[in-house]
Amino acid sequence: MNRFFRALPVVALVLGLVGPLSMGTSYAQTSTPAAAPTTTGTVQGTIKDNTGAPVADAKVTLSGVQTKTTTSDAGGAFSFTNLASGVYTLTASKAGYQAASEPDLAVFSGQTQTLAVVMPHLTFSSLRTIASVRAVGRGTFNTTPASISVVSSQTFIDQSQPQVMKILNETPGIVASLPSGSANGATPGAITVPNIRGALSFETASLIDGHPVSVGTYGDYVTTFLNPFMLQNIEVVKGPGADAPEVNYAIGGTVNFRTKDPTYQSSGLWQAGVDNWGSSIINFGISDTTGRLGYVFAFGSNDLLTNVANTNVWVSPQTPQQGILNFNGSGGMGIGYNDQYPTPIVPGTVSAVENSYNLVACCQHIGQDLYQNRSELAKLRYHLSAATTATFTYFGSQTHANQTANTGDITPSFFQMSASQSKNYTGSLANGSGLDIGYVRTPENETNNEPILEGDLSSSIGNDTVLARYYAAGIHRLNHQGSDNPFVPTVETMQLYGYDTATKTTYNGLSVPVTFYDYYNQAENDALKGYSFEYHHPFGDGNALSFSYDTTHSTTTSYSVFATGGPSAGKPFKTSTLGIGQSVTLPTGSAQDFGTALLRGTFRLNPKLGLTWSNYFNTYKSTYPLRCNGKCSFDGTNYVFATTTRTHYDPRLALEYRPSQALAVRLAVGSAIAPPYLALLSGLDQPISYDSKTNIATQKVSGGTLNPETAIGFDLGGSYRLNADTFVSLDVYTENLQNHFLTAWFAGGTCPATDPVSGAPTNCKANTPLYLQKNVNLADARFQGLELDVQHSPQAGFGYKISGALLRGYPYNLPQYFYCSIPGPGCKPDVNLGIVSGKNFYGNGIGAGANGLSNTSVPYSQGFAEVNYRTHNGWYANANLTYYGPNNSMFVPAFTTLGATLRAPLVNGLSFQISGDNLTDKYANIWPSYGTGIPVQLANGTFAATQANTLYPRTIRFTLTKTFGQGAPTP
């Protein structure tokens, strides 16, 4: 990777030279041809905002050989005539709108340049800060100082995607990852989180309409429940070039999900679809502006199924994690453990997995793997006057998902009895048979409710603009397993095969009721509210100063309730032996307050060079449980809370250089930050543990003194227009992170005589060393990569897209005793072994000590390629390949999936579309396979097995779409 950065000067030079040499006479020529006629030239155009509405009374200036100024009329039109031949710079501005600028505008005698200028409203909802100017008929390309990719809502329609994961994976630099060991990629309810440029999930900022969402417990945003039909576009801003009002968690960058805006003219869309698995998709939306009122109303309903539905899986009553089973129908219990001990499921690894059973049952039935999502969007925008606009938004999402399959897996195993055990066995399942034994929870359901409210006010005061916003967001998530009553089990009739060592009974396929006692109830409630304010002051020619302040207050309660105890082998079950336990991650009272003051200056140093200087001053206040005194409850009873406050200054500098209309070069450098999320701070102080044999004392203590992670990043890139419809974008970057959050041991002095938590004597000998385990800021990390994006997008005919990225994201400078559960000189590495200096982050391996730092993996490469064809009358087709590189979050070898779409216009805006995903059925197994993923190297030189995940199966969707009206917002 270092070769990339040694080559940066060469890249910049090539980008600077290729532009003028490749665009042809219309862009490279700056003087009147010798044979030119004596008449003058003309520049004309129209200015519209991002809703398609004309922008009247905008100031338009053309400077160069001559300097002229005009204003746009009521229809947004402007014109300059009698222009001498030469090169000009066009600027357009109006209070309340983003300014537009286009250098190197060539004017020739006798010719007319017709321009389309888009000046979006100044708003908190978008992260883009520069308007676009283009020749009519020519597409736009990235002329901002940031590496930014914008995914339009049309992309989801063209591929018929009801969720965001696949489309995000097609965008270079961002990966929608599956957490290792806790998600089945074949199910629509699988947890997915976005990762930008190799940064971990909590190091990627996720926003909706430019404001934070509730991520209080673990710092990352789950995109599973987001319906893309509600979105106008997705802005992916990579590296330090973003200028959002706040930059919390934006180590790798920011992904901003923008909801639909009102259109200037009437617009609507209705969709109804089904697929080959029985799923149904219904979407409906309307938008218009009538007089002073603009509105959007949208509703989406996704009922998604896959091949997991109505399947059966072998289980074993002797699997401890499967739950307590009553299988003889008379109250007696049998938990028959095999005489054979667990063996490594993958040779050459340290991962011992129980994969040989003398008692098995057929079969546990999996019902409908149903994912039901209902989403609503209501947005009203009222123009109080020509200068003042108020916008009110409700965005809601309610989801119910059967998570039985999502959290389950299978282990390739053997039905194996010893000679003595098989003496009386006559069953049809042969002794020694290979079986996939499932670890499948009894009925498990997840309910997720995410309401969001927004209120925005924009007002112009002279040439200045004032923005104000209030927002509130919540996540109310409940995972429920087992029956509603922990004392009422789940019962299924199964056929038993094998020998029960507890009751010394042989089963030859007898059908008996099997009783599961597996009650679990996990609740998470996050609530966030915030305020934003910005004052924007333009001055001079293309310059502006702005000050903004954003503050959020979030509260989080996270806990689980579960059943413990139960019957022992061979004894009747009594409800008195079943106890109800409680595990609290964050009790009520846990909270965080973030404040960000931003002073930003945008300066036009000359017509071709712009500079943006941003200064963030961040304040973090965290309130978290420190210890528990007595019997504590999730409602905060008997918890002792502590509060810490941290501040950090984060400057950012970005340059954008336009040597020609065809080329934009960008350079960004700046600081990034990730505050500690609440789950990191919630570890309670524990009593001291003294080992008289080793004469070592250990103690787990709260990590409340954590500082934010900080990083310095660099991005150098450029975008080049090959012709009217073809664009190339290239970025190289590097980022160094400090204060990585790690759980580690370190020396804590000597053991005191009295325990500081319990107050009891520690019984330590004199001068006994004390080692403390806590979440601390210790290791460093580095992120490096290269991103390429090539697009050819004609209005009609063949188009294509080729994109990809090389990614590195790895730790280094790991501390002493980091790999030791018992610290001190001569310790043996046995923990944190999955965190390897210099190797890309990956999720957890199987086995003691094989844990990684991240719950997802950072692939070394990714890619996407598409060819498409469209006609002016509505025909459309595409075929696409998505490449998942090595070290992907599925723990499988690098692979490629195939997708395709064909859309045919019918009548009056009605079209019929067929779309296919994973047409080659790559890794389309029903269950993740425990232990069969690609082994990962551990820090001590050994290897650990992993869980091989699955991908959604071949899916064919059939969709009817009806469009009506004329309006369409700008992506």
Side-chain angles (χ1 to χ4, degrees), residues 234-279:
I234 302 174
E235 298 173 330
V236 181
V237 184
K238 295 164 281 189
D243 291 300
E246 57 89 17
V247 289
N248 298 312
Y249 302 109
I251 295 291
T254 301
V255 55
N256 182 34
F257 302 97
R258 294 189 61 209
T259 58
K260 295 180 183 293
D261 278 328
T263 53
Y264 176 63
Q265 295 177 305
S266 175
S267 176
L269 186 147
W270 170 85
Q271 284 183 321
V274 296
D275 68 21
N276 55 312
W277 302 110
S279 303

Short mmCIF file of all heavy atoms in Angstrom, two decimals, residues 234-279:
data_model
loop_
_atom_site.label_atom_id
_atom_site.label_comp_id
_atom_site.label_asym_id
_atom_site.label_seq_id
_atom_site.Cartn_x
_atom_site.Cartn_y
_atom_site.Cartn_z
N ILE A 234 -28.67 8.31 -1.05
CA ILE A 234 -27.74 8.03 0.04
C ILE A 234 -26.42 8.70 -0.30
O ILE A 234 -25.85 8.44 -1.36
CB ILE A 234 -27.52 6.51 0.23
CG1 ILE A 234 -28.84 5.80 0.50
CG2 ILE A 234 -26.54 6.25 1.37
CD1 ILE A 234 -28.70 4.28 0.56
N GLU A 235 -25.97 9.58 0.57
CA GLU A 235 -24.69 10.25 0.38
C GLU A 235 -23.63 9.50 1.19
O GLU A 235 -23.77 9.35 2.40
CB GLU A 235 -24.75 11.70 0.84
CG GLU A 235 -25.75 12.55 0.08
CD GLU A 235 -25.90 13.94 0.67
OE1 GLU A 235 -25.72 14.08 1.91
OE2 GLU A 235 -26.19 14.88 -0.07
N VAL A 236 -22.59 9.05 0.51
CA VAL A 236 -21.47 8.39 1.18
C VAL A 236 -20.26 9.30 1.05
O VAL A 236 -19.72 9.47 -0.05
CB VAL A 236 -21.18 7.00 0.56
CG1 VAL A 236 -20.02 6.34 1.29
CG2 VAL A 236 -22.42 6.12 0.61
N VAL A 237 -19.88 9.94 2.14
CA VAL A 237 -18.75 10.85 2.14
C VAL A 237 -17.60 10.17 2.87
O VAL A 237 -17.71 9.81 4.04
CB VAL A 237 -19.10 12.19 2.83
CG1 VAL A 237 -17.93 13.16 2.72
CG2 VAL A 237 -20.33 12.79 2.18
N LYS A 238 -16.51 9.97 2.15
CA LYS A 238 -15.39 9.18 2.67
C LYS A 238 -14.23 10.09 3.04
O LYS A 238 -13.91 11.03 2.32
CB LYS A 238 -14.96 8.15 1.60
CG LYS A 238 -16.04 7.12 1.30
CD LYS A 238 -15.79 6.38 0.01
CE LYS A 238 -16.19 7.20 -1.18
NZ LYS A 238 -16.16 6.41 -2.45
N GLY A 239 -13.60 9.78 4.17
CA GLY A 239 -12.44 10.56 4.60
C GLY A 239 -12.81 11.86 5.26
O GLY A 239 -13.96 12.09 5.66
N PRO A 240 -11.85 12.78 5.38
CA PRO A 240 -12.05 14.01 6.16
C PRO A 240 -12.66 15.15 5.38
O PRO A 240 -12.67 16.28 5.86
CB PRO A 240 -10.62 14.35 6.58
CG PRO A 240 -9.77 13.87 5.44
CD PRO A 240 -10.45 12.62 4.94
N GLY A 241 -13.17 14.92 4.18
CA GLY A 241 -13.68 16.02 3.38
C GLY A 241 -15.10 16.43 3.69
O GLY A 241 -15.62 17.36 3.10
N ALA A 242 -15.79 15.72 4.59
CA ALA A 242 -17.17 16.04 4.91
C ALA A 242 -17.24 17.25 5.82
O ALA A 242 -16.36 17.50 6.64
CB ALA A 242 -17.84 14.85 5.59
N ASP A 243 -18.32 18.01 5.69
CA ASP A 243 -18.51 19.20 6.52
C ASP A 243 -19.89 19.20 7.15
O ASP A 243 -20.60 20.19 7.13
CB ASP A 243 -18.31 20.47 5.68
CG ASP A 243 -16.86 20.65 5.27
OD1 ASP A 243 -16.02 20.76 6.17
OD2 ASP A 243 -16.58 20.67 4.07
N ALA A 244 -20.28 18.05 7.70
CA ALA A 244 -21.55 17.96 8.41
C ALA A 244 -21.49 18.80 9.68
O ALA A 244 -20.41 19.11 10.19
CB ALA A 244 -21.84 16.50 8.75
N PRO A 245 -22.65 19.19 10.23
CA PRO A 245 -22.64 19.99 11.47
C PRO A 245 -21.94 19.29 12.63
O PRO A 245 -21.46 19.94 13.54
CB PRO A 245 -24.13 20.19 11.77
CG PRO A 245 -24.80 20.07 10.44
CD PRO A 245 -24.01 19.05 9.69
N GLU A 246 -21.88 17.94 12.63
CA GLU A 246 -21.13 17.22 13.65
C GLU A 246 -20.47 16.01 13.02
O GLU A 246 -20.93 15.49 12.01
CB GLU A 246 -22.03 16.83 14.84
CG GLU A 246 -23.23 16.00 14.48
CD GLU A 246 -22.93 14.52 14.51
OE1 GLU A 246 -21.91 14.13 15.10
OE2 GLU A 246 -23.69 13.76 13.91
N VAL A 247 -19.34 15.59 13.63
CA VAL A 247 -18.52 14.55 13.01
C VAL A 247 -18.26 13.39 13.97
O VAL A 247 -17.27 12.69 13.84
CB VAL A 247 -17.17 15.12 12.51
CG1 VAL A 247 -17.37 16.00 11.31
CG2 VAL A 247 -16.45 15.87 13.63
N ASN A 248 -19.15 13.17 14.92
CA ASN A 248 -18.96 12.07 15.85
C ASN A 248 -19.00 10.73 15.11
O ASN A 248 -19.85 10.50 14.26
CB ASN A 248 -20.05 12.09 16.92
CG ASN A 248 -19.99 13.36 17.74
OD1 ASN A 248 -18.94 13.74 18.22
ND2 ASN A 248 -21.13 14.02 17.90
N TYR A 249 -18.08 9.86 15.45
CA TYR A 249 -17.92 8.51 14.90
C TYR A 249 -17.44 8.50 13.44
O TYR A 249 -17.35 7.43 12.85
CB TYR A 249 -19.24 7.71 15.00
CG TYR A 249 -19.76 7.58 16.41
CD1 TYR A 249 -20.90 8.26 16.82
CD2 TYR A 249 -19.09 6.79 17.33
CE1 TYR A 249 -21.37 8.14 18.12
CE2 TYR A 249 -19.57 6.67 18.63
CZ TYR A 249 -20.70 7.35 19.02
OH TYR A 249 -21.17 7.24 20.30
N ALA A 250 -17.09 9.64 12.87
CA ALA A 250 -16.75 9.70 11.45
C ALA A 250 -15.27 9.45 11.20
O ALA A 250 -14.60 10.22 10.52
CB ALA A 250 -17.17 11.05 10.87
N ILE A 251 -14.73 8.35 11.75
CA ILE A 251 -13.34 8.00 11.49
C ILE A 251 -13.15 7.68 10.01
O ILE A 251 -12.26 8.22 9.34
CB ILE A 251 -12.90 6.82 12.36
CG1 ILE A 251 -12.93 7.20 13.86
CG2 ILE A 251 -11.51 6.34 11.96
CD1 ILE A 251 -11.88 8.19 14.27
N GLY A 252 -13.94 6.76 9.48
CA GLY A 252 -13.83 6.40 8.07
C GLY A 252 -14.59 7.34 7.16
O GLY A 252 -14.22 7.53 6.00
N GLY A 253 -15.64 7.91 7.66
CA GLY A 253 -16.47 8.80 6.87
C GLY A 253 -17.90 8.77 7.38
O GLY A 253 -18.18 8.32 8.49
N THR A 254 -18.80 9.26 6.53
CA THR A 254 -20.19 9.43 6.93
C THR A 254 -21.11 8.91 5.84
O THR A 254 -20.88 9.16 4.65
CB THR A 254 -20.51 10.92 7.18
OG1 THR A 254 -19.65 11.42 8.20
CG2 THR A 254 -21.95 11.10 7.61
N VAL A 255 -22.13 8.16 6.23
CA VAL A 255 -23.18 7.77 5.30
C VAL A 255 -24.46 8.46 5.76
O VAL A 255 -24.86 8.36 6.93
CB VAL A 255 -23.34 6.23 5.23
CG1 VAL A 255 -23.56 5.62 6.60
CG2 VAL A 255 -24.47 5.86 4.29
N ASN A 256 -25.07 9.20 4.84
CA ASN A 256 -26.24 10.01 5.14
C ASN A 256 -27.41 9.52 4.31
O ASN A 256 -27.39 9.60 3.08
CB ASN A 256 -25.95 11.49 4.84
CG ASN A 256 -27.13 12.39 5.17
OD1 ASN A 256 -27.86 12.14 6.13
ND2 ASN A 256 -27.32 13.44 4.39
N PHE A 257 -28.45 9.02 4.99
CA PHE A 257 -29.65 8.54 4.33
C PHE A 257 -30.65 9.69 4.26
O PHE A 257 -31.21 10.09 5.28
CB PHE A 257 -30.24 7.35 5.09
CG PHE A 257 -29.30 6.19 5.24
CD1 PHE A 257 -28.54 6.03 6.40
CD2 PHE A 257 -29.14 5.27 4.22
CE1 PHE A 257 -27.66 4.97 6.54
CE2 PHE A 257 -28.26 4.20 4.35
CZ PHE A 257 -27.52 4.05 5.50
N ARG A 258 -30.87 10.22 3.06
CA ARG A 258 -31.75 11.39 2.88
C ARG A 258 -33.14 10.95 2.48
O ARG A 258 -33.33 10.24 1.48
CB ARG A 258 -31.18 12.33 1.82
CG ARG A 258 -29.85 13.00 2.18
CD ARG A 258 -29.50 14.06 1.16
NE ARG A 258 -30.51 15.10 1.13
CZ ARG A 258 -30.80 15.83 0.04
NH1 ARG A 258 -30.18 15.59 -1.09
NH2 ARG A 258 -31.71 16.77 0.09
N THR A 259 -34.13 11.37 3.24
CA THR A 259 -35.51 11.05 2.90
C THR A 259 -35.98 11.92 1.74
O THR A 259 -35.39 12.95 1.42
CB THR A 259 -36.44 11.25 4.11
OG1 THR A 259 -36.34 12.60 4.58
CG2 THR A 259 -36.05 10.30 5.24
N LYS A 260 -37.05 11.50 1.11
CA LYS A 260 -37.58 12.19 -0.07
C LYS A 260 -37.97 13.63 0.26
O LYS A 260 -38.50 13.91 1.33
CB LYS A 260 -38.79 11.44 -0.62
CG LYS A 260 -38.50 10.05 -1.17
CD LYS A 260 -39.77 9.39 -1.68
CE LYS A 260 -39.53 7.97 -2.18
NZ LYS A 260 -38.70 7.92 -3.38
N ASP A 261 -37.71 14.52 -0.69
CA ASP A 261 -38.11 15.92 -0.58
C ASP A 261 -39.34 16.17 -1.44
O ASP A 261 -39.56 15.47 -2.45
CB ASP A 261 -36.98 16.84 -1.04
CG ASP A 261 -35.96 17.09 0.05
OD1 ASP A 261 -36.35 17.10 1.23
OD2 ASP A 261 -34.78 17.28 -0.27
N PRO A 262 -40.14 17.20 -1.11
CA PRO A 262 -41.24 17.58 -2.00
C PRO A 262 -40.71 17.99 -3.38
O PRO A 262 -39.64 18.58 -3.49
CB PRO A 262 -41.89 18.76 -1.28
CG PRO A 262 -41.48 18.63 0.15
CD PRO A 262 -40.12 18.02 0.12
N THR A 263 -41.45 17.65 -4.41
CA THR A 263 -41.09 18.05 -5.76
C THR A 263 -41.85 19.32 -6.14
O THR A 263 -42.89 19.65 -5.56
CB THR A 263 -41.40 16.94 -6.76
OG1 THR A 263 -42.77 16.54 -6.60
CG2 THR A 263 -40.50 15.74 -6.52
N TYR A 264 -41.32 20.01 -7.13
CA TYR A 264 -41.94 21.26 -7.58
C TYR A 264 -43.23 20.98 -8.32
O TYR A 264 -44.19 21.74 -8.24
CB TYR A 264 -40.95 22.01 -8.46
CG TYR A 264 -41.49 23.29 -9.05
CD1 TYR A 264 -41.89 24.35 -8.24
CD2 TYR A 264 -41.61 23.43 -10.44
CE1 TYR A 264 -42.39 25.51 -8.78
CE2 TYR A 264 -42.10 24.61 -10.99
CZ TYR A 264 -42.49 25.64 -10.16
OH TYR A 264 -42.98 26.81 -10.71
N GLN A 265 -43.25 19.88 -9.08
CA GLN A 265 -44.44 19.49 -9.81
C GLN A 265 -44.94 18.15 -9.27
O GLN A 265 -44.23 17.43 -8.58
CB GLN A 265 -44.13 19.36 -11.31
CG GLN A 265 -43.75 20.67 -11.96
CD GLN A 265 -43.39 20.49 -13.43
OE1 GLN A 265 -42.52 19.69 -13.76
NE2 GLN A 265 -44.08 21.21 -14.30
N SER A 266 -46.17 17.84 -9.62
CA SER A 266 -46.79 16.61 -9.13
C SER A 266 -45.99 15.40 -9.58
O SER A 266 -45.58 15.28 -10.74
CB SER A 266 -48.22 16.52 -9.67
OG SER A 266 -48.81 15.29 -9.30
N SER A 267 -45.76 14.50 -8.63
CA SER A 267 -44.99 13.29 -8.92
C SER A 267 -45.50 12.17 -8.04
O SER A 267 -45.88 12.38 -6.89
CB SER A 267 -43.50 13.54 -8.66
OG SER A 267 -42.75 12.36 -8.83
N GLY A 268 -45.52 10.97 -8.58
CA GLY A 268 -45.97 9.84 -7.79
C GLY A 268 -45.46 8.53 -8.34
O GLY A 268 -45.07 8.43 -9.51
N LEU A 269 -45.45 7.52 -7.48
CA LEU A 269 -44.99 6.19 -7.88
C LEU A 269 -45.70 5.15 -7.03
O LEU A 269 -45.85 5.32 -5.81
CB LEU A 269 -43.47 6.08 -7.73
CG LEU A 269 -42.80 4.80 -8.25
CD1 LEU A 269 -41.41 5.13 -8.77
CD2 LEU A 269 -42.67 3.77 -7.12
N TRP A 270 -46.11 4.09 -7.69
CA TRP A 270 -46.73 2.94 -7.02
C TRP A 270 -46.04 1.68 -7.49
O TRP A 270 -45.79 1.51 -8.69
CB TRP A 270 -48.22 2.90 -7.31
CG TRP A 270 -48.90 1.64 -6.85
CD1 TRP A 270 -49.40 1.37 -5.63
CD2 TRP A 270 -49.14 0.48 -7.66
NE1 TRP A 270 -49.94 0.11 -5.59
CE2 TRP A 270 -49.78 -0.47 -6.83
CE3 TRP A 270 -48.86 0.13 -8.98
CZ2 TRP A 270 -50.18 -1.73 -7.29
CZ3 TRP A 270 -49.24 -1.12 -9.45
CH2 TRP A 270 -49.88 -2.03 -8.60
N GLN A 271 -45.70 0.79 -6.55
CA GLN A 271 -45.03 -0.46 -6.88
C GLN A 271 -45.72 -1.61 -6.17
O GLN A 271 -46.15 -1.49 -5.02
CB GLN A 271 -43.57 -0.45 -6.43
CG GLN A 271 -42.63 0.35 -7.28
CD GLN A 271 -41.20 0.22 -6.79
OE1 GLN A 271 -40.95 0.19 -5.59
NE2 GLN A 271 -40.25 0.15 -7.70
N ALA A 272 -45.80 -2.73 -6.87
CA ALA A 272 -46.26 -3.98 -6.25
C ALA A 272 -45.41 -5.10 -6.82
O ALA A 272 -45.24 -5.20 -8.05
CB ALA A 272 -47.74 -4.22 -6.54
N GLY A 273 -44.86 -5.92 -5.93
CA GLY A 273 -43.97 -6.98 -6.39
C GLY A 273 -44.07 -8.23 -5.57
O GLY A 273 -44.50 -8.21 -4.40
N VAL A 274 -43.65 -9.34 -6.18
CA VAL A 274 -43.57 -10.63 -5.50
C VAL A 274 -42.25 -11.28 -5.94
O VAL A 274 -41.61 -10.83 -6.89
CB VAL A 274 -44.75 -11.56 -5.85
CG1 VAL A 274 -46.06 -10.97 -5.37
CG2 VAL A 274 -44.80 -11.82 -7.36
N ASP A 275 -41.85 -12.33 -5.23
CA ASP A 275 -40.67 -13.06 -5.67
C ASP A 275 -40.94 -14.57 -5.61
O ASP A 275 -42.02 -15.01 -5.22
CB ASP A 275 -39.42 -12.67 -4.87
CG ASP A 275 -39.46 -13.10 -3.41
OD1 ASP A 275 -40.22 -14.02 -3.05
OD2 ASP A 275 -38.71 -12.51 -2.59
N ASN A 276 -39.93 -15.34 -6.01
CA ASN A 276 -40.10 -16.79 -6.10
C ASN A 276 -40.17 -17.48 -4.75
O ASN A 276 -40.45 -18.68 -4.68
CB ASN A 276 -38.95 -17.40 -6.91
CG ASN A 276 -37.58 -17.03 -6.38
OD1 ASN A 276 -37.32 -15.85 -6.11
ND2 ASN A 276 -36.69 -17.99 -6.23
N TRP A 277 -39.96 -16.77 -3.64
CA TRP A 277 -40.05 -17.36 -2.31
C TRP A 277 -41.37 -17.02 -1.62
O TRP A 277 -41.60 -17.43 -0.48
CB TRP A 277 -38.88 -16.90 -1.43
CG TRP A 277 -37.56 -17.26 -2.03
CD1 TRP A 277 -36.64 -16.42 -2.57
CD2 TRP A 277 -37.02 -18.57 -2.16
NE1 TRP A 277 -35.56 -17.12 -3.04
CE2 TRP A 277 -35.77 -18.45 -2.80
CE3 TRP A 277 -37.47 -19.85 -1.82
CZ2 TRP A 277 -34.97 -19.54 -3.09
CZ3 TRP A 277 -36.68 -20.95 -2.11
CH2 TRP A 277 -35.43 -20.79 -2.74
N GLY A 278 -42.21 -16.22 -2.28
CA GLY A 278 -43.49 -15.86 -1.69
C GLY A 278 -43.50 -14.50 -1.02
O GLY A 278 -44.47 -14.16 -0.33
N SER A 279 -42.45 -13.72 -1.20
CA SER A 279 -42.40 -12.38 -0.62
C SER A 279 -43.38 -11.46 -1.35
O SER A 279 -43.74 -11.69 -2.51
CB SER A 279 -40.99 -11.81 -0.73
OG SER A 279 -40.04 -12.63 -0.12
#
